């Protein structure tokens, strides 16, 4: 892909591989962390400062969160277009460049299938027959219409150069009786004229055979009155290019949308998933579209966390209430806060919370289960996720919950 100024973006795929390496090393949450992204760019993209700036801007705008928020209602490619426009406006970036970096983030997050050809920039000639792309944007493999036209008096069917008759007759423009050496065209002039004639011959044959740059057209023709020539619809002048291609051709095939469980996994921190895949698919429950049961957690205040993904805010609220009812939570419960702060674990409390970093809000409840283990149930309204955190020490569990370490920001 190229920017509007014709600059080829990531021609060798180094930036794409850098994003994939960041996810492989730190999990998908790395793409929302400007510190990690900047370090990856310094290490791997020293020769691509423009791409590094785009990737850093995308991380600072939390493009992963924007994509997750919009894919459900706009679809994958609609969300990519929408987030790219938001990113371009927020950082005064070229729209084509913003579209590239958002698509690469979506690819690294698993929303877009890997693969596809790498777009490249192609410079257009200034001749009258040169094709033009939208903003200089073109993909590998695109055919360019050859430019130029037959010289005055030339023949598109291979006739003599300069309009002279066949069979070696006098060449037009020479006066009988004048010395040939004084008036005859130079070898260079004849060579150039012959080359132009060959181009004209090629254009004539290409038009008849429907090869590039003259694809076959299935439209009705009508005969021009008075000239005996046929015209096709609203014909273009001879040698003019086909209409400009899609300004943003996408070589990637339509990807298979990720399953709800895969979408939910992208929201679970790598510290919870662990290196041995602690999270298993547990079907659906309480109206959720996916459930991930993460057990055997090491080094965390929570010994297990169960995640539920919902389709909308109404289903999320109903699922939260249904879970508490199933858990024999009392119908009347006190507030979980003291002076609007979650300063201590309060058994059988229910409340709402608001966080500025990350920016989200939701419901929260605290209780002790039948094994006397502390439990915190909370929702993330931004990503439509409910999490049930189970621990052994109530103070430590609350301290782990408070900075929202249980969900990717």
């Amino acid at each position: 892909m190229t920017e509007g100024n014709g600059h080829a973006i990531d021609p060798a795929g180094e930036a794409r591989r850098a994003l994939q390496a960041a996810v492989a090393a730190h999990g998908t949450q790395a793409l929302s962390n400007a510190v990690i992204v900047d370090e990856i760019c310094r290490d791997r993209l020293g020769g691509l400062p423009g791409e590094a700036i785009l990737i850093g801007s995308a991380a600072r705008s939390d493009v992963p969160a924007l994509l997750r928020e919009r894919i459900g209602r706009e679809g994958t490619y609609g969300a990519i277009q929408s987030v790219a426009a938001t990113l371009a406006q927020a950082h005064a970036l070229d729209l084509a460049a913003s579209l590239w970096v958002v698509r690469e983030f979506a690819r690294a997050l698993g929303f877009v299938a890997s693969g596809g050809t790498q777009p490249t920039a192609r410079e257009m000639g200034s001749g009258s027959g040169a094709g033009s792309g939208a903003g200089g944007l073109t993909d590998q493999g695109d055919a360019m219409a050859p430019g130029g036209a037959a010289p005055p008096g030339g023949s598109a069917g291979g006739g003599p150069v300069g309009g002279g008759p066949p069979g070696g007759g006098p060449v037009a423009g020479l006066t009988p009786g004048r010395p040939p050496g004084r008036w005859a065209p130079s070898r260079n002039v004849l060579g150039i004229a012959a080359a132009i004639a060959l181009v004209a011959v090629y254009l004539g044959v290409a038009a008849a055979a429907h090869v590039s740059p003259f694809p076959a057209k299935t439209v009705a023709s009508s005969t021009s009155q008075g000239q005996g020539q046929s015209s096709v619809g609203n014909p273009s002048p001879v040698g003019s290019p086909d209409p400009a291609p899609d300004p943003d051709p996408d070589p990637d095939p339509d990807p298979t949308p990720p399953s709800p469980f895969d979408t939910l996994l992208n929201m679970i921190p790598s510290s919870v998933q662990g290196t041995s895949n602690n999270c298993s698919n547990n079907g659906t429950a309480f109206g959720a579209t996916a459930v991930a049961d993460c057990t055997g957690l090491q080094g965390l205040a929570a010994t297990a966390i169960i995640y539920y993904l919902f389709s909308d805010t109404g289903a999320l609220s109903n699922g939260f209430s249904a879970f508490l009812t199933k858990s024999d939570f009392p119908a009347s419960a006190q507030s979980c806060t003291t002076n609007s702060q979650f300063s201590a674990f309060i058994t059988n409390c229910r409340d709402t919370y608001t966080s500025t970093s990350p920016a989200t809000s939701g419901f929260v409840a605290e209780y002790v289960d039948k094994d006397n283990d502390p439990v915190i149930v909370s929702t993330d309204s931004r990503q439509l996720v409910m999490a049930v955190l189970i621990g052994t020490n109530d103070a430590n569990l609350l301290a782990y919950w408070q900075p929202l370490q249980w969900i990717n920001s």
Side-chain angles (χ1 to χ4, degrees), residues 13 110 135 154 182-183 185 195 226 242 298 319 341 346 349 353 362 389:
R182 179 179 177 184
W183 297 99
D242 283 340
Q298 302 294 325
Q341 299 294 321
I346 302 174
C349 70
Y353 76 93
L389 287 70

Side-chain angles (χ1 to χ4, degrees), residues 62 68 72 212 230 286 393:
D62 203 353
R68 294 187 186 103
S212 178
S230 64
F286 305 112
N393 180 284

Side-chain angles (χ1 to χ4, degrees), residues 269-358:
S270 58
S271 59
V272 175
Q273 296 191 46
T275 57
S276 56
N277 193 15
N278 296 327
C279 302
S280 60
N281 190 337
N282 203 15
T284 58
F286 305 112
T289 59
V291 179
D293 194 351
C294 304
T295 58
L297 309 185
Q298 302 294 325
L300 302 178
T303 57
I305 305 178
I306 307 171
Y307 292 90
Y308 300 80
L309 177 64
F310 295 88
S311 58
D312 53 55
T313 54
L316 177 65
S317 177
N318 292 336
F320 178 76
S321 298
F323 179 87
L324 292 181
T325 300
K326 180 74 173 180
S327 303
D328 296 327
F329 192 83
S332 59
Q334 59 182 315
S335 171
C336 291
T337 62
T338 302
N339 296 326
S340 300
Q341 299 294 321
F342 287 92
S343 56
F345 185 94
I346 302 174
T347 303
N348 294 338
C349 70
R350 179 173 177 171
D351 216 326
T352 60
Y353 76 93
T354 300
S355 170
T356 57
S357 180

Side-chain angles (χ1 to χ4, degrees), residues 18-19 22-23 27-41 45 50-68 83-84 86-88 90-91 93 97-98 100-106 108-109 357-358 382 408-409:
L19 290 173
V23 171
T28 55
Q29 67 270 21
L31 301 187
S32 300
N33 189 319
V35 175
I36 294 177
V37 166
D38 288 344
E39 182 178 355
I40 291 286
C41 289
L45 303 180
E51 286 78 351
I53 290 173
L54 289 171
I55 292 172
S57 298
R60 287 171 175 80
S61 290
D62 203 353
V63 162
L66 294 176
L67 285 171
R68 294 187 186 103
V83 173
T86 299
L87 180 66
H91 295 275
L93 298 174
S98 297
W100 167 82
V101 74
V102 172
R103 183 181 294 131
E104 291 304 324
F105 267 58
L109 290 166
S357 180
R382 181 186 56 170
N408 278 336
S409 59

Side-chain angles (χ1 to χ4, degrees), residues 210 215-221 232-233:
H210 303 304
K217 298 183 181 294
T218 350
V219 289
S221 63
V232 181

Side-chain angles (χ1 to χ4, degrees), residues 170-247:
V171 179
L174 292 184
T175 304
R178 298 289 180 92
R182 179 179 177 184
W183 297 99
S186 70
R187 291 179 181 271
N188 289 338
V189 172
L190 290 176
I192 294 172
I196 295 174
L198 287 176
V199 171
V201 170
Y202 167 76
L203 293 176
V205 174
H210 303 304
V211 297
S212 178
F214 300 100
K217 298 183 181 294
T218 350
V219 289
S221 63
S222 60
T223 303
S224 300
Q225 298 296 327
Q227 295 183 355
Q229 298 177 343
S230 64
S231 61
V232 181
N234 183 19
S236 300
V238 176
S240 63
D242 283 340
D246 185 337

